[in-house]
Amino acid sequence: MKAGAIDKGIALLIKGSPFIVVEREFVNPGKGSAFVRLKLKSPATGRVLKETMKTQDNVEEIIVEDKECQFLYSDEAAFHFMDTETYDQFEVPMVGFADYKLLMRDGDTYKVIMWEEKPLDIIIPYKVVYEVTEAFEGVKGDTVQGASKLVKIETGLEVKVPIFIKQGERIMINTETHEYVERVNS
Amino acid sequence: MKYTKNKLEQTENFEIIRKRSAIITKIRSYFQTNGYLEVETPILSPELIPESTIEVFETTFSSEFHGERQFYLIPSPEVFMKRLIAQGSGSIFQITKSFRNNEQIGKDHNPEFTMLEWYTIGSDYMDSIKRTEALFESLTNGNTPEWFRPPFLQKSIEEVFKEYVSIDLLKCQTKTLIRNEAVRLGLSPNKTDSWEDIFNRIFLSFIEPELPKGKPIVLYNYPRQIQCLAKEIKGTPWRERWELYVKGNEIANCYTEEIDRRKVKTFFEIEYSKKAVSARVISDIDNKYYQIFDNNYPECSGVALGVDRLIMLLTRSTSIEGVILFPFSAMMEE
C-alpha cells in the first residue's frame, strides 16, 4: 500500500518486524512534497519508532485477524485473555501496553489483533463508561475550564472531572486522552 | 467551528468570530500605517507559477461569447503581486483566499484558506524578520504571551541540523552522503528519493517536532537544492529564505525574491517539467513571465503568512477548523 493510505491502528511490517501505527500526521513542509509522519510501536518490545515517509512510498501492511476475547485478569507481566469462541486462554505481554492496565476492566470483552497466531494489539473502544470509585476534594480549576476535581475510576485511573461528579456515578472517558467526556445517567 | 443551524450568538464560537475580525482589522491597520498599499488580485487565474509540490484546483470558464478556457484557483497571490511590483506599485500587501488541493483536511489545513502576503521594496529576508516581529507586536497590544512575543529565536538550518541530529550539511551535499546520514538515524529513504526528499525526511522526523515552543523561532538559510524563487547566497549552498514556527506550527515563510530573469526562467522550466510528471492538474504557465524581471525590477522581500493558523494560535484554538466559518470537513460530511 502507499504510505498516504496509512491509518492509525493498522499494522505494518518494518524491516521484518511488526509495528502498530499509533500516531499518523500528514505534513507538507514549506516547498516540499507531502509526507506522513508516523509513530509506530512494537508490540513485542514496546519500542516506539519515529518514521517519516513520502505519501507515495510503498509500505507493507500486515494482514491481521481480530478475535473477540474476554479480559480475565492482569499480573505483573501480562494480560490474560480468553478467546470467546474457542475458550482458549492466552496472555499478552504487558511490555507494549503498560498504559492499558488503567483502562481495561476484568470481565470485559475486547478485540485482540492477531498476526501469525501471536497477539499484536488490543483494541480499547474510543469512549468507555466507567464507575467513579473514589471522589477526592474539589480543587479550583482555571477560569477557562471551570471548577474541576480529581476522581478515581474502577480501573484505578485518575481523571479530572467537573466538580458535580460524585462517587458511584458513571462517567464516559476518552480512552486516548484519558479525559472526561460526560456524565452518564442510566 | 461546527456547521450549525443554531443562531450564531448562542454558540460559544461567536467570541472567536469577533476575535478573528479584530485580528484581521489590526493586520490591515498595521500595513496601512506602515506605507504598504493594500491590493486585491484575482483568485481565478489562467496561469500559475509552477510549483511541483502543490496541487491546484482547476475550473473551466465557459461562455457562448468567448468560448472555453481553463482557469485555476490561486495557491497564493504571488503571480499577480509580482506583476504589480514590476509595474511600480511599491510595497504592497494583500489578505486573500488561497487554495490548495490534495492536502489533508483538519488541524492545520483547509483546502480554502486565508493568506496574508506582503512585499517590501528595498528589503531582504532579514529585514522581513523585523517587519514580522513588529506586526506581531501590533497584534497583541503589549499583553503578549511569551510564546508569541518578539524577538524571535533565530537559527540557521545548518545550525539545527548540527544541534538536533549532528549532521554537517556542508559535508552532505551529495545524495549518497545525506542518505548515509539518514540511514544512520534509522530512517529508510527510497531509492528514488532526491536530496531534498532525504533532507525533508530527516527534518520532519527529528527536527521539526522538537523545535522550541516557548518562543517563536525563525529557521533561515534553506538549502539551494529545494527549488524556489528565493535568491541564492553566493559562495554557499543556501538560499535567502526563512520559515517561522510558533508553538511548533509553521506560520509564515519568506524569501529575498529572485529577480534575475534567467534564474526565474530556469525555475519555471524545471518546476513545470517536474509538475508535468507528478501533478494531477498541470496548470498552464505564462512562458513570458520571467520578462517582468527587467533591469528596473526592484530588490524586494516577500512574506506569506497563514492567517487561519495565526488566529488559531491567538485564540488558543486547537485546530484551524475552530476559527474558520464553515470548515471544509463539515461540508464534506453534509
Side-chain angles (χ1 to χ4, degrees):
Chain A
M1 73 189 285
K2 296 284 183 202
I6 292 174
D7 218 335
K8 218 166 127 173
I10 71 164
L12 301 174
L13 199 63
I14 301 212
K15 292 172 194 158
S17 305
F19 280 86
I20 309 278
V21 178
V22 287
E23 270 178 42
R24 181 218 55 183
E25 184 191 7
F26 288 106
V27 268
N28 291 75
K31 311 296 153 202
S33 45
F35 286 82
V36 53
R37 186 153 56 203
L38 303 172
K39 206 179 255 185
L40 304 144
K41 189 172 77 172
S42 158
T45 62
R47 189 166 76 96
V48 171
L49 181 75
K50 284 182 187 172
E51 182 68 82
T52 300
M53 298 178 178
K54 285 170 80 173
T55 52
Q56 292 305 311
D57 285 354
N58 287 307
V59 287
E60 193 175 344
E61 186 183 2
I62 296 175
I63 305 304
V64 293
E65 142 187 56
D66 54 81
K67 279 184 183 178
E68 292 291 329
C69 298
Q70 191 182 25
F71 172 48
L72 303 174
Y73 65 96
S74 59
D75 56 29
E76 296 281 290
F79 297 109
H80 296 260
F81 283 94
M82 181 181 69
D83 185 331
T84 54
E85 229 169 76
T86 62
Y87 302 107
D88 286 342
Q89 286 192 21
F90 65 96
E91 58 183 57
V92 180
M94 205 178 280
V95 63
F97 306 100
D99 53 327
Y100 285 24
K101 195 169 177 167
L102 292 171
L103 296 169
M104 295 202 307
R105 189 160 41 198
D106 297 4
D108 277 6
T109 302
Y110 296 92
K111 242 181 214 156
V112 178
I113 306 295
M114 308 291 286
W115 178 61
E116 294 186 340
E117 310 289 303
K118 283 193 295 243
L120 204 58
D121 197 9
I122 306 165
I123 306 298
I124 297 186
Y126 180 53
K127 286 174 181 173
V128 180
V129 175
Y130 298 92
E131 191 182 321
V132 175
T133 50
E134 244 177 278
F136 305 102
E137 282 297 298
V139 287
K140 204 166 163 53
D142 57 55
T143 47
V144 185
Q145 300 270 330
S148 64
K149 64 176 184 179
L150 276 178
V151 296
K152 202 178 257 185
I153 58 171
E154 55 194 303
T155 51
L157 181 71
E158 285 187 3
V159 190
K160 204 168 154 192
V161 300
I163 208 136
F164 57 79
I165 299 291
K166 294 189 207 67
Q167 192 165 319
E169 284 187 315
R170 288 152 56 78
I171 57 172
M172 187 179 280
I173 302 293
N174 175 331
T175 57
E176 257 172 44
T177 60
H178 294 193
E179 280 167 357
Y180 166 86
V181 180
E182 61 187 11
R183 177 163 62 178
V184 180
N185 298 312
S186 53
Chain B
M1 208 164 287
K2 292 269 160 55
Y3 189 49
T4 172
K5 293 190 176 79
N6 290 347
K7 278 196 182 144
L8 211 50
E9 292 84 351
Q10 290 168 0
T11 70
E12 56 188 278
N13 297 322
F14 191 56
E15 193 51 35
I16 289 179
I17 300 170
R18 289 207 301 202
K19 281 185 184 157
R20 181 177 177 111
S21 165
I23 292 165
I24 288 177
T25 304
K26 281 183 186 164
I27 294 174
R28 209 165 246 132
S29 137
Y30 173 80
F31 285 102
Q32 283 164 348
T33 53
N34 283 279
Y36 291 75
L37 178 68
E38 180 167 14
V39 295
E40 267 187 284
T41 57
I43 55 177
L44 269 182
S45 174
E47 296 118 3
L48 298 176
I49 294 173
E51 287 182 272
S52 60
T53 57
I54 293 177
E55 282 286 346
V56 297
F57 286 92
E58 181 179 39
T59 189
T60 309
F61 167 78
S62 56
S63 151
E64 55 183 301
F65 308 109
H66 306 283
E68 290 201 341
R69 172 130 192 215
Q70 291 311 102
F71 275 74
Y72 309 94
L73 291 170
I74 52 160
S76 97
E78 179 180 359
V79 63
F80 290 109
M81 292 180 85
K82 286 186 172 169
R83 282 197 181 113
L84 286 174
I85 292 170
Q87 291 160 20
S89 67
S91 296
I92 47 177
F93 82 100
Q94 169 158 225
I95 298 168
T96 184
K97 285 294 173 92
S98 298
F99 302 82
R100 297 192 184 179
N101 210 339
N102 192 36
E103 288 185 350
Q104 106 275 23
I105 301 166
K107 192 181 157 292
D108 316 301
H109 293 273
N110 202 59
E112 171 176 352
F113 61 102
T114 303
M115 185 181 265
L116 162 66
E117 189 151 315
W118 77 87
Y119 291 86
T120 313
I121 306 300
S123 277
D124 68 9
Y125 70 142
M126 285 296 160
D127 299 325
S128 284
I129 295 179
K130 294 195 193 82
R131 180 63 70 192
T132 311
E133 287 176 336
L135 169 69
F136 272 37
E137 290 282 13
S138 80
L139 294 179
T140 50
N141 297 337
N143 188 19
T144 320
E146 196 58 35
W147 53 264
F148 194 77
R149 185 183 304 149
F152 304 155
L153 301 175
Q154 296 183 22
K155 282 189 178 166
S156 67
I157 287 291
E158 188 184 357
E159 280 176 282
V160 291
F161 267 72
K162 279 185 185 150
E163 187 179 327
Y164 289 82
V165 284
S166 306
I167 293 177
D168 184 350
L169 282 178
L170 289 175
K171 292 183 182 149
C172 296
Q173 289 295 307
T174 70
K175 211 158 78 175
T176 313
L177 290 171
I178 197 165
R179 174 187 299 275
N180 291 345
E181 292 293 330
V183 170
R184 169 179 72 80
L185 293 166
L187 298 177
S188 320
N190 250 345
K191 285 205 179 69
T192 54
D193 273 2
S194 62
W195 188 95
E196 173 188 349
D197 289 330
I198 303 172
F199 168 89
N200 274 324
R201 283 179 199 269
I202 298 170
F203 179 74
L204 295 171
S205 301
F206 302 106
I207 300 174
E208 195 199 46
E210 311 301 332
L211 290 174
K213 298 183 176 58
K215 260 303 204 191
I217 180 167
V218 165
L219 299 184
Y220 64 93
N221 291 2
Y222 274 70
R224 263 181 204 222
Q225 287 91 333
I226 303 177
Q227 292 292 335
C228 65
L229 290 171
K231 203 175 213 171
E232 294 168 355
I233 306 176
K234 275 197 188 113
T236 75
W238 316 116
R239 290 178 191 273
E240 297 194 359
R241 169 186 162 197
W242 55 254
E243 301 265 339
L244 170 63
Y245 287 83
V246 180
K247 271 189 172 174
N249 296 273
E250 189 189 313
I251 290 290
N253 76 79
C254 169
Y255 304 159
T256 302
E257 300 294 342
E258 182 59 77
I259 57 169
D260 177 329
R261 59 157 65 184
R262 285 161 309 157
K263 288 189 174 158
V264 173
K265 186 168 186 273
T266 311
F267 171 85
F268 266 58
E269 287 161 0
I270 292 173
E271 284 297 289
Y272 186 77
S273 61
K274 276 203 244 170
K275 213 170 166 85
V277 178
S278 62
R280 294 168 194 211
V281 171
I282 303 157
S283 44
D284 287 341
I285 55 171
D286 173 359
N287 280 319
K288 297 200 173 71
Y289 192 77
Y290 68 91
Q291 292 178 358
I292 68 171
F293 299 95
D294 60 16
N295 291 334
N296 295 320
Y297 202 96
E299 297 275 347
C300 62
S301 162
V303 181
L305 183 148
V307 173
D308 306 299
R309 291 186 188 175
L310 177 79
I311 294 170
M312 167 183 85
L313 289 164
L314 286 173
T315 58
R316 279 34 169 206
S317 303
T318 51
S319 157
I320 62 164
E321 298 201 319
V323 302
I324 293 174
L325 287 167
F326 310 104
F328 206 80
S329 64
M331 295 192 288
M332 294 267 284
E333 283 165 18
E334 289 282 291

